[in-house]
Amino acid sequence: GKEAWHTNRVLFNLVQRALEEFCPPTAIQLVASREEVADLLKMNQFIDLVIPRGSSQLVKDIQEAAGSIPVLGHAEGICHVYIDKDCDSKKARRIVIDAKCDYPAACNAMETLLIHKAHLSGGLFHKMIDDLKQNDVKIHIGPRLSMLLPVSPTPLNNFAVEYGALECNVEVVDSFQDAVQHIHTWGSGHTDVIVTEDDEAAQEFRSSVDSACVFVNCSTRFSDGYRFGLGAEVGISTSRIHARGPVGIQGLLTTKWILTGDGQTVEEFTAGNKRKQFIFKPLPVEQPSAPDTPAPKDVTDKAPDTKPADVATKSENKDTTKKVVEAKKRLIEPYSFRREKVAWLAMLWFLVNRDRIFNLKDIILF
């Protein structure tokens, strides 16, 4: 919105200044209107990736307008929590309330609670319903559960709704397989959870549910780039190519393959020739050196041999190893610090700039 314009401009200027040492500052641009977004999405010869962040409608609109430009994102976050017949009731109640009420507007908030029918005759079902009501959650009853209740409101017929508020669906399932089938029918491939003490059921759920994030005995709200240790999250993807799930900076990178040979040809390695064979093994990767960093001293220099031969050799090896480590630190740390500083400043601008285009929920990153 317009109220964030001055803040966005200050953050934008900070990011440009941080990049001056590494690339033209104009590599970062501030997009401030729908018209500018529409124009950018026509520039497929310059744009490699679009990451829309915000409402479901925003993501759909960007996906439609992007044409041939790849879009990393998810249109909806329809997340499920399935309460298995063999579960810990205390865990189940905590997880359900956290998944729905911690931050209802998040895409990783629970939208549908699936309960095994075995719990209808016990106290867990009623306790969880009471927990949701005490937290002001509006409950939508599924058709199967509706038939089992003496009095029930009109059942819903569409589970593919991302409420983004203190609302959720509640449905009963006859078995583990019914729960998985329901998730595959109505889910969006974002995050789905099973609460169970049955190790076999947990393992089968992990392998059967085809979602970007599949959890056992924990809240859907853990589906987050920061909580996965990816740093600032730049997007969440439910696609099945390249990055999937919460995406940090590393997930946006592609691979560049570099070969250095000495006149080799493929003909030398063909099956009929057998002059040479491919050998696959890991090789050490050279670390990039920081600019303007003095080269390390020769770490192979040895001190005068004033000790017996065997003792002197051990001491020299230890000193050499220590010098190598210190030299590597001097080479790598300045480079890593600047690189991480730029990354964090860029992420700060991306995350705070979420209301510059549409409203407080919408953002598009390039």
Side-chain angles (χ1 to χ4, degrees), residues 196-206 217:
T196 184
E197 297 300 305
D198 185 339
D199 292 339
E200 291 185 6
Q203 180 57 42
E204 188 174 352
F205 189 85
R206 282 191 289 254
N217 292 334

Side-chain angles (χ1 to χ4, degrees), residues 34-226:
R34 292 173 182 261
E35 291 73 20
E36 290 177 343
V37 172
D39 291 339
L40 282 171
L41 293 178
K42 297 176 184 177
M43 304 172 69
N44 60 327
Q45 71 271 35
F46 301 114
I47 299 176
D48 296 319
L49 179 67
V50 176
I51 309 175
R53 298 299 306 271
S55 66
S56 173
Q57 190 58 49
L58 167 70
V59 177
K60 290 179 179 178
D61 291 343
I62 295 299
Q63 289 174 333
E64 293 175 1
S68 60
I69 303 175
V71 177
L72 187 153
H74 64 287
E76 295 172 324
I78 302 175
C79 304
H80 298 78
V81 174
Y82 164 57
I83 309 301
D84 191 39
K85 63 178 180 178
D86 299 316
C87 73
D88 182 297
S89 61
K90 292 183 179 180
K91 289 181 186 178
R93 293 174 64 185
R94 288 200 309 271
I95 289 170
V96 167
I97 293 303
D98 185 82
K100 180 69 260 184
C101 303
D102 177 66
Y103 184 30
C107 61
N108 58 11
M110 179 192 76
E111 303 296 357
T112 296
L113 171 62
L114 301 175
I115 305 176
H116 193 281
K117 64 179 183 180
H119 296 298
L120 294 181
S121 58
L124 179 58
F125 169 75
H126 298 286
K127 288 179 181 178
M128 287 201 302
I129 296 298
D130 289 340
D131 290 342
L132 291 171
K133 289 181 178 179
Q134 289 174 9
N135 283 272
D136 299 322
V137 178
K138 183 179 179 180
I139 299 173
H140 303 276
I141 300 298
R144 299 172 72 178
L145 178 57
S146 177
M147 292 187 295
L148 298 173
L149 297 177
V151 178
S152 173
T154 303
L156 62 94
N157 53 18
N158 181 18
F159 288 90
V161 178
E162 183 179 12
Y163 295 107
L166 286 173
E167 297 183 56
C168 73
N169 309 318
V170 178
E171 180 62 301
V172 64
V173 292
D174 293 334
S175 64
F176 170 91
Q177 289 74 18
D178 283 347
V180 173
Q181 182 60 45
H182 181 103
I183 292 171
H184 286 165
T185 301
W186 299 103
S188 60
H190 192 297
T191 301
D192 298 294
V193 171
I194 183 174
V195 182
T196 184
E197 297 300 305
D198 185 339
D199 292 339
E200 291 185 6
Q203 180 57 42
E204 188 174 352
F205 189 85
R206 282 191 289 254
S207 60
S208 300
V209 174
D210 184 22
S211 295
C213 299
V214 181
F215 299 162
V216 176
N217 292 334
C218 60
S219 172
T220 58
R221 293 279 291 124
F222 282 106
S223 177
D224 176 83
Y226 172 77

Side-chain angles (χ1 to χ4, degrees), residues 22 285-296 327-336 338-339:
F22 304 93
V285 178
E286 294 182 1
Q287 294 287 350
S289 59
D292 303 324
T293 301
K328 285 185 176 180
K329 283 185 177 180
R330 289 197 300 271
L331 284 170
I332 297 171
E333 284 179 350
Y335 170 82
S336 299
R338 286 197 293 271
R339 181 179 60 183

